[in-house]
Amino acid sequence: MMELPGLVPVVKGNGYGFGVHRLAGGAGRLGADVIAVGSVAEAKVALREFDGDVVVMMPFFNADAAAVEIMEDSRVIVTVAHLPELARLAEGPAHPRVLVEVRTSMQRHGITLDDLPKVAGFLDRVDFAGWTIHLPMPAGDSNLEEATHIGTAARMAAKAPLWFSHVSVDDHNRLREIFGPDVRLRRGTDLWLGDPGALTVTATVLDVHKVVRGQRVGYHRKSVPANGWVVVVSGGTANGIGLEAPSTNRSMRDRAKTMALGMLDAAGRALSPFEVAGEKRAFVEPPHMQSSLVFLPANAIPPAIGDEVPVTVRNTIATFDEIVYI
Ligand SMILES: *Cc1c(COP(=O)(O)O)cnc(C)c1O
């Protein structure tokens, strides 16, 4: 927080693999005054673990009873992305803290630039906390042009803090020069997962069985391709193993990476994310709920029960059995 004034830690989904509760507590220890969550359900968790303000980023709807209830908490700031919803809030007895979302080229949520002048008439009847501007991932390395354009339009409609998402630290600093210190930057991935070396993910070897070529194993009685071992490792569908998150495929390089990780070995079997005896090994069959069967050929040295082996997971879809700080 000290190094990046205006930073708002984002704590949502599976808490980037760590759990919303853990990150909410962690954000407090980092000195954050406000954090952002995705949903109302996450806000409830965050409010228990964090003493400051909590922004709910999904759009607010008056018909959502849980959202209306949590909005009454003085530490909660809701995000309004539709004019009729803002109008209803302004008419109501509550005086909720609201961010108003402005539509960007991303076309997810938000009030269009054309409609911004209509917003101003409602703002004195809510506790207006600012504008939120969620940009797409920068096409080059900068979103400054669109951020400045939309920020300027919003500031013309009402002078209030600007809360950006998906601008670089350089752009954030630049935006603070342009618009002043009331500029905030919401960040999750880079904050929690920015240093790949800080995190090691492993699976535990639960069992190792010697098998011969053609022997049938597993739920589906698949025959093993050669002599070797079936290694049973911890981690299955419940942990997010074997589930592929959609790839954005933004570049050829990304695409190549997806294909390389995606998963067939030389014999055409599905490659698992588990690295046993120095290499990613093929699944014997699709992962089970909490463990997976992988095949280790006879020329490799089998691990021992209890060994930890590296596993490649995507944090935002992973559920870890245990998180150990070292
Ligand atoms: C998820 C989200 C963020 C955080 O995105 P990261 O890429 O994880 O930094 C910021 N703003 C909004 C509106 C979001 O939904």
Side-chain angles (χ1 to χ4, degrees), residues 10 12 16 57 101 108 132 134 137 164-166 186-190:
V10 173
K12 69 177 182 186
Y16 295 84
M57 295 191 294
E101 180 154 6
R108 192 162 84 177
T132 134
H134 184 196
M137 296 296 175
F164 289 100
S165 297
H166 295 138
R186 293 181 295 193
R187 283 214 144 178
T189 308
D190 290 346

Side-chain angles (χ1 to χ4, degrees), residues 33 81 106 144 158 168-169 178 219 224-225 257 317:
D33 59 336
M106 190 176 159
L144 190 61
S168 67
V169 170
I178 297 169
Y219 277 126
V224 292
K257 224 159 43 185
I317 57 167

Side-chain angles (χ1 to χ4, degrees), residues 236-279:
T237 52
N239 304 95
I241 296 294
L243 302 175
E244 266 298 288
S247 159
T248 56
N249 271 347
R250 274 183 305 135
S251 68
M252 283 306 285
R253 193 168 142 267
D254 282 354
R255 217 167 301 165
K257 224 159 43 185
T258 311
M259 276 159 48
L261 287 175
M263 2 245 213
L264 296 184
D265 73 355
R269 290 161 312 181
L271 210 51
S272 82
F274 300 99
E275 188 182 316
V276 184
E279 277 179 47

Side-chain angles (χ1 to χ4, degrees), residues 274-281 296 300-301 309-310:
F274 300 99
E275 188 182 316
V276 184
E279 277 179 47
K280 292 267 165 60
R281 301 297 174 177
L296 187 68
I301 298 166
V309 297

